[in-house]
Amino acid sequence: MSLVLMFLLGLLVGLMLCGWQHYQFRQQLEQLLRKLPAQFQDPSVLNPLYRLRRSIEELLKTQYISQQQGQMWAIILEVAPLGYLRVDALNQLLWCNPLAREILQINRWQSGQVRLLLELVRSYELDQLIEMTRRTGQPQQLDWVYRSTTIAKDETAIPSPYAIALRASTLLLPDDHVGVFVENRQPIVEARQARDRAFSDLTHELRTPLTSIQLVAETLLPRLQNPEKQWVTQMLREIKRLMGLIQSCLDLSRLSSQGGEMLNLQAIPFASLVQMVWQTLGPLADRKAITLGYHDPEKVEIWVDRDRFLQVLLNLLDNAIKHSPEGAEIQVRIITIAKEPKNWHTIDIIDHGLGFREAELPLIFERLYRGDASRQRSRNDGLDSPLPNQGSGLGLAIVQQIIAAHGGKITAQNHPKTGGAWLQIQLPTFTQS
């Protein structure tokens, strides 16, 4: 009898332990299920073991789809017309496609290796761009010329210099990784250089016959009577206009090729430049009762070529007067902003005119581009423009080249308050001569 009681007691204890373990198992299953995403759970099913099995099946299915999509994107990036590379938080190269290897001359790296990007691509500009992407958390873009040495497969051959114009666009990825798209801009640069050479050659060729025609017309003029004299006078005016246009073309070509070499830099109070330009344009402004609003709280001095920068301000303020309504104010402001790696002067010129059409904003500074005809208002003031290239479509192109030669940049947009044109110039506080 005692044996039977002991057996029953042991069976009861075993059943209790088994029930407790089953309870703990179900609790652990429920906790595990609660950690899974909601889309993998079916609350209508009460059996947790079945729910776990279903969830695992769904997770495996999702993992398979993700792997398929990852492989698809890898194939797309392999054949993409843009170079792509990915670096980790330590700036180690994790992966790059064949075009990136070709463009950046990455010859000492194999797929699966992890090496510092700077060891493979010796570009301080690209390294800084990646760091700025991490620091700001925003996509960044950079145009620069990448220079390196091409190492031939034959080790006895002499390495050759390699230079290519590139544009890099970066994107911050999870875990502080950065993706970099690299675009080869060299064909575009070479096409522009070929265009500039053709442009320069054409203007040189035109100047000689026009000079001959001008000399003939000037010789004939004193010997003629009206109406022939009026015709030749009109012809001379048109010849001088064409000569001015050709001179502008030659200036543009020289600025494009020589840049800062043409400049005679000196520190000049910005207020004095604006005053000189406004005195020149005074008769045009007075005819439309247009006033100048000047804001220069710091009495800024800028480091520029005096004559070239007067040309910039003449062009921009002349355009502002031409497109402003009667009685309007043109605002000119200058401030100094601290911006890495140096301080910058920011100059704003704002009018109250019709502004630019959105479609033409990317073309504003293109050579020979002339804006929407609805913005071309006739002055009818009987006065000659102070700019020889008025209406030629070269004025803003020359302005951009002058500012670029100073190490700065100019942008065009519409001002949110006035609705008129807003030209903004950024100049470094000091430019090496």
Side-chain angles (χ1 to χ4, degrees), residues 238-288:
E238 294 302 318
I239 291 172
K240 289 179 180 178
R241 188 178 69 84
L242 287 173
M243 292 293 286
L245 178 60
I246 287 173
Q247 186 59 49
S248 296
C249 293
L250 292 173
D251 288 345
L252 186 55
S253 297
R254 282 197 291 267
L255 283 166
S256 300
S257 59
Q258 300 176 27
E261 298 175 9
M262 295 180 60
L263 304 180
N264 178 24
L265 300 177
Q266 53 186 310
I268 303 175
F270 182 66
S272 66
L273 295 175
V274 174
Q275 184 179 13
M276 281 188 281
V277 171
W278 196 252
Q279 287 177 349
T280 302
L281 297 174
L284 303 179
D286 293 343
R287 190 63 63 92
K288 298 177 69 175

Side-chain angles (χ1 to χ4, degrees), residues 15 42 48 60 112 114 125-126 133 180 187 190 200 210 220 230 233 235 257 273 287 290 322 333 356-357 401 431:
L15 289 172
D42 186 356
L60 289 173
V114 179
E125 296 88 350
L126 182 59
T133 304
V180 184
E190 291 174 355
S200 178
L210 279 174
L220 283 175
Q230 291 180 345
T233 301
M235 183 176 68
S257 59
L273 295 175
R287 190 63 63 92
I290 291 175
K322 180 173 67 174
R333 303 185 303 220
F356 303 106
R357 291 186 300 119
Q401 288 294 335
T431 305

